[in-house]
Amino acid sequence: MIKVKDIPVFYLNPDFFDHRKKMMDEFLTNLGLNFERVPSNSSHALRQTRICEGFVKVAERGIEKGIYPFLILEDD
C-alpha cells in the first residue's frame, strides 16, 4: 500500500509569484510532504500554452529523477 506522504510532490510556480511559493512551501511542509518546486516561466502569449509547458517540465523532472509515482500540484 502506498501512503500519500511517501509520494514525491512537484509543484509549478512562476518566479514572479514569490508569495505563492512561500504559501506552498509552508503548506506542503506542514503536511509533511516531500516536495520540490519546479519554476514555470514560459514567455508564450497564450496562458494555456504556458500551463501545458509547465506540466511537461514537471513530467520531465520526474522522469529525469526516475521517480514513479509522483504528484503534480500548482500554486493556485
Side-chain angles (χ1 to χ4, degrees), residues 19-31:
H19 64 286
R20 289 185 184 179
K21 177 191 178 300
K22 290 176 185 174
M23 177 196 67
M24 289 296 289
D25 288 349
E26 183 178 319
F27 180 70
L28 297 172
T29 297
N30 288 340
L31 289 175

Side-chain angles (χ1 to χ4, degrees), residues 47-60:
R47 181 177 184 268
Q48 299 89 328
T49 301
R50 292 191 307 265
I51 292 168
C52 288
E53 288 176 352
F55 279 105
V56 168
K57 191 174 181 181
V58 171
E60 289 173 341

Side-chain angles (χ1 to χ4, degrees), residues 5-34:
K5 288 189 176 188
D6 293 336
I7 301 173
V9 174
F10 296 102
Y11 78 90
L12 286 171
N13 169 256
D15 288 337
F16 56 86
F17 282 138
D18 190 52
H19 64 286
R20 289 185 184 179
K21 177 191 178 300
K22 290 176 185 174
M23 177 196 67
M24 289 296 289
D25 288 349
E26 183 178 319
F27 180 70
L28 297 172
T29 297
N30 288 340
L31 289 175
L33 296 176
N34 173 22

Side-chain angles (χ1 to χ4, degrees), residues 2-3 6-10 62 66-72:
I2 297 175
K3 295 180 182 179
D6 293 336
I7 301 173
V9 174
F10 296 102
I67 297 171
Y68 182 82
F70 58 88
L71 299 175
I72 299 174

Side-chain angles (χ1 to χ4, degrees), residues 39-51:
S40 178
N41 296 312
S42 172
S43 60
H44 199 279
L46 288 175
R47 181 177 184 268
Q48 299 89 328
T49 301
R50 292 191 307 265
I51 292 168

